Structures are given as structure tokens and as C-alpha cells.
Amino acid sequence: STGTYTNFDAVDGLCASHESMTVLKDGRLVVGGFDGLNIFHPDSIDRRRPAPPLVLTRMSINDEAVAPPQLVKASGVLQLPYSHNVLELEFAAINIEAPTLVQYQYRLEGFEEEWVKPKDRRYVRYTNLAPSDYVFKVRATSSRDEWPRQEIALAVSIAPPWWRTKWAYATYLLSLMCLTYLG
């Protein structure tokens, strides 16, 4: 009546092969095939699925695996020295029923301007990150719009080397002033 339709398949619990279909007197549909038989009433289908939890499943720094929660300080920021500038993150929306329906986007604020839409992978690797403050964000949604978009974030701060800190620049300035005064 609305001119719209929805396709259902094995991900939704239907038999993988659909050989025949009929409508019973009470309005229920019978879909049969080599893999079995499905009987349901079209009005009883609830397309909404609960949103699966979105988590960081793996993280490595300079190619050494670390547990994400162990490194994040009370401030909620992952603080790294300048020499630890290779970061790899793996993420997943834990959807056991239909993992192929999950679509991801990620972005490292302070490094990437636009969201990246990976095709067939759930990880990202950043190499030679400059000392700065970043926020890694990943979001997931259903390709069928079955749940609202979810997003998680991880703040990362890579400290500058000691020779590029405020104290080092203050020492340089003080040394230059002393040399100018003595010279």
C-alpha cells in the first residue's frame, strides 16, 4: 500500500534457499526451500535490532600489543612519549546475528579531515604521528538503518621530545640572552 518493500534473507533467519512461497488463510506466509520452512505473519516482523556494543578490540603501540584500558590515565587521555608514534587500533560492533550488516567509519582528529569508510577491514594503522593531541573516533551503523549510529572516542596525546618542550625553549632563550650579555 505504501509502495515500499523490504528484502529478508538468511541473516534475518529465513532459509538460505527460497524455492516456494504461499499465503495461508490467516495471512501468514509460508516460505519453503531445501534448507527448511519458515512460517510468519508479515505484520509481526520487528525490523529493529538492539544496537550491538562498539568496542576497541585490539591496540598496539610501536607494534607491541597493549590493552587499551590499562594505558588510559584518569584524565581519559592515552599519553605517549614522542618515540611511541606508531598506533594501530582494531574495532568491532559485536553483532553475532548479522556482522556483515555493520558499516564502520573512523577518523583521527588532528590528522584526518574527513571520515574514512573502510571496505573490508576493522582496523587502522597510523605511522610517524607528530607530537600533538589527537582524538581517534570510530562509529558504526547498520546498513539497514536498524539502530542509531554509535560512536566511541579515544584521546591520544603524543608528547614532544625533551628538546622541543617549553622548558627547553626557555633554556635556549636564557642561554642566548646570557651569551648576548657576555659577548
Side-chain angles (χ1 to χ4, degrees), residues 12-15 17-18 20-33 35-45:
D12 299 298
L14 289 178
C15 301
S17 63
H18 309 106
S20 62
M21 184 176 87
T22 189
V23 180
L24 300 177
K25 291 180 185 178
D26 63 359
R28 291 184 297 165
L29 295 177
V30 179
V31 179
D35 297 338
L37 188 68
N38 294 104
I39 301 174
F40 59 93
H41 197 284
D43 293 339
S44 67
I45 296 173

Side-chain angles (χ1 to χ4, degrees), residues 1 19 21 25 30 41 46 50 61 95 101 104 111 115 182:
S1 65
E19 301 300 322
M21 184 176 87
K25 291 180 185 178
V30 179
H41 197 284
D46 185 4
I61 299 170
N95 187 347
L101 296 181
Y104 299 97
F111 183 76
W115 288 90
L182 293 175

Side-chain angles (χ1 to χ4, degrees), residues 21-168:
M21 184 176 87
T22 189
V23 180
L24 300 177
K25 291 180 185 178
D26 63 359
R28 291 184 297 165
L29 295 177
V30 179
V31 179
F34 294 115
D35 297 338
L37 188 68
N38 294 104
I39 301 174
F40 59 93
H41 197 284
D43 293 339
S44 67
I45 296 173
D46 185 4
R47 290 190 49 224
R48 297 171 301 182
R49 296 177 199 229
L54 178 59
V55 295
L56 289 177
T57 57
R58 186 178 59 83
M59 178 166 51
S60 67
I61 299 170
N62 284 6
D63 296 321
E64 290 188 30
V66 295
Q70 292 179 348
L71 289 178
V72 177
K73 305 294 183 201
S75 65
V77 178
L78 174 63
Q79 298 181 351
L80 302 172
Y82 77 95
S83 59
H84 290 73
N85 62 356
V86 177
L87 187 62
E88 187 169 327
L89 300 155
E90 185 176 306
F91 43 86
I94 311 299
N95 187 347
I96 296 170
E97 293 177 355
T100 57
L101 296 181
V102 180
Q103 294 179 334
Y104 299 97
Q105 292 180 327
Y106 64 82
R107 173 177 150 186
L108 185 62
E109 289 181 355
F111 183 76
E112 294 167 320
E113 294 292 323
E114 301 291 325
W115 288 90
V116 177
K117 297 177 185 178
K119 296 251 185 225
D120 296 325
R121 62 183 170 91
R122 297 177 294 104
Y123 69 91
V124 62
R125 180 179 174 88
Y126 298 103
T127 59
N128 296 322
L129 289 171
S132 187
D133 294 327
Y134 303 98
V135 178
F136 176 74
K137 291 184 176 182
V138 61
R139 56 190 185 190
T141 188
S142 164
S143 62
R144 294 183 180 171
D145 294 325
E146 296 170 315
W147 66 75
R149 181 180 4 201
Q150 301 180 73
E151 185 173 301
I152 58 174
L154 173 67
V156 178
S157 180
I158 300 177
W162 66 267
W163 61 87
R164 287 185 48 204
T165 62
K166 292 177 184 176
W167 289 105

